[in-house]
Amino acid sequence: MENRKRNVHLHVMVTPDELAAIHERMTEAGISNAGAYVRKMALNGYILHIDLTPVKELISLQRRCSNNLNQVAVHAHTYGVYPEEIDGLKRDYEKLWSEVSKVLRELSELVAK
């Protein structure tokens, strides 16, 4: 083994299901040599870790806006609508769409990488 270019052995245990998934991905990639595939993925592959904190904030904002809209609808049905309530809803929706735009920009930058 001293004359080999790759003379260090790496041993990895997998389940039968994991092995089947690896073989399926090898086929999709057009690679028939498992060692070459594992080496290529270990050296050049990547793992996506997605921080969903901005999405959680969007969900919170959306819930607040929905709740406010429901309250205004009930109030409008009972007493009529006040301009201040409409202005408050507009501000909430502007904040919501600002956050949506920010998340979409971050996702587009992530995809572009």
Side-chain angles (χ1 to χ4, degrees), residues 33-94:
N33 182 312
Y37 176 77
V38 171
R39 187 171 40 257
K40 179 76 172 164
M41 290 304 295
L43 294 172
N44 301 321
Y46 58 91
I47 296 173
L48 292 178
H49 173 73
I50 300 172
D51 180 13
L52 296 178
T53 303
V55 175
K56 290 177 184 176
E57 176 65 18
L58 285 178
I59 291 168
S60 175
L61 287 170
Q62 192 272 336
R63 284 183 180 147
R64 281 186 265 157
C65 287
S66 296
N67 185 42
N68 291 345
L69 182 60
N70 187 47
Q71 289 176 4
V72 169
V74 168
H75 191 275
H77 181 57
T78 306
Y79 305 106
V81 180
Y82 295 109
E84 302 84 30
E85 293 170 333
I86 299 299
D87 291 340
L89 285 175
K90 286 180 181 177
R91 283 190 302 274
D92 289 346
Y93 279 107
E94 286 172 6

